[in-house]
Amino acid sequence: MYDAIFAPFVEFSFMRRALVGCLALSLGATPIGVFLTLRRMSLTGDAMAHAILPGAALGYLVAGLSLGAMTLGGVIAGVAVAILSGLVARTTVAREDSSLAAFYLISLAVGVVIVSMRGSNVDLLHILFGTVLALNDEAIFLISGIATITLFGLAVIYRPLVIECFDPGFLRSVSPLSPVAHYGFLVLAVLNLVGGFHALGTLMAVGIMILPAAAARFWTRDITHLLIIGVLGAFLSGFVGLLLSYHASLPSGPAIILTAGAFYLLSLAFGPDGVIMTRLRPRRHLEA
């Protein structure tokens, strides 16, 4: 058991770095995913993950695989798309989901074209799918710093954010903090997607954010418990996914996201609010 579970992390520094990166992503990205699911914005997170691609690609075009340039470009692109989609929704007949979808599709295509202009297929795969097993100290510090900022930010806007999840109209009517909570949350989401991009790529970064959060919903309805279960599920998915990648020679990023997907499917089936348990639970008298 030791050789199968613990030896890879003891013997290889790249496995330990990848595990630390997964822990940082779990602490930062998954709480954001919990609030995205509560706000019915899960697909918004997916769209914003693709929206950071042109900025990261421009950073790559200017400075190669530079962590700082790609991070700055990704943050600028993600925030710009979020603001533009909101402005379009507020000034035209288009809904915010349709405008966001339009901008993210344009961004995805532009980003792929930019990378293809200078880089190879290997560089394109690196940007789209990430290299969690190749995280260096600089990338780990960046992801950990984003997780720290996220936890402090969520602590500051936690109360208005919770209220906005359930009744945004009430929050707007009683508090001036509604736009602060809304746009502050979007900025935190973009930051975590950029951090996840360096480990899992633009196509996989949203997986560690949304799948554990969605799975936690089948186990509890309490927000605090949702956050705890989501973070634990994300970290466990990273741990098991790295082991699968090591022993079965699978690509590490997809292995982690597939493990998170398996956690979601198990929760969907066997969680207290899952398909099987709700059917087995005794119904109240005269309940349809």
Side-chain angles (χ1 to χ4, degrees), residues 26-236:
S26 302
L27 290 172
T30 307
I32 295 293
V34 169
F35 284 104
L36 282 173
T37 56
L38 289 176
R39 293 156 63 101
R40 297 177 177 86
M41 294 175 62
S42 300
L43 292 179
T44 299
D46 183 52
M48 292 173 64
H50 293 79
I52 68 175
L53 181 57
L58 283 174
Y60 168 79
L61 192 64
V62 172
L65 293 174
S66 166
L67 185 72
M70 294 175 71
T71 298
L72 180 62
V75 170
I76 293 174
V79 172
V81 167
I83 293 176
L84 284 173
S85 62
L87 289 175
V88 170
R90 286 164 176 76
T91 57
T92 69
V93 296
R95 295 174 60 88
E96 188 167 13
D97 58 343
S98 63
S99 60
L100 188 61
F103 279 115
Y104 109 73
L105 289 170
I106 295 170
S107 300
L108 179 61
V110 170
V112 172
V113 169
I114 291 174
V115 176
S116 301
M117 288 171 57
R118 174 175 171 178
S120 65
N121 289 335
V122 174
D123 296 326
L124 181 59
L125 290 175
H126 168 82
I127 291 176
L128 293 179
F129 298 102
T131 52
V132 67
L133 292 180
L135 290 177
N136 54 24
D137 290 342
E138 188 180 10
I140 290 177
F141 287 142
L142 173 67
I143 298 171
S144 300
I146 290 174
T148 303
I149 293 172
T150 300
L151 292 176
F152 277 108
L154 288 178
V156 171
I157 63 174
Y158 181 79
R159 188 178 296 274
L161 192 59
V162 171
I163 297 174
E164 190 180 41
C165 288
F166 300 100
D167 194 345
F170 173 76
L171 179 64
R172 286 194 295 267
S173 66
V174 301
S175 173
L177 295 178
S178 177
V180 175
H182 179 73
Y183 288 106
F185 175 75
L186 288 180
V187 170
L188 292 178
V190 170
L191 284 175
N192 280 277
L193 288 169
V194 171
F197 151 76
H198 289 295
L200 300 172
T202 56
L203 296 184
M204 296 288 169
V206 72
I208 202 67
M209 179 181 287
I210 297 298
L211 284 171
R217 178 61 186 83
F218 295 107
W219 295 96
T220 182
R221 300 183 182 183
D222 181 88
I223 293 181
T224 303
H225 294 161
L226 282 173
L227 293 170
I228 294 172
I229 294 173
V231 169
L232 291 177
F235 179 63
L236 184 61

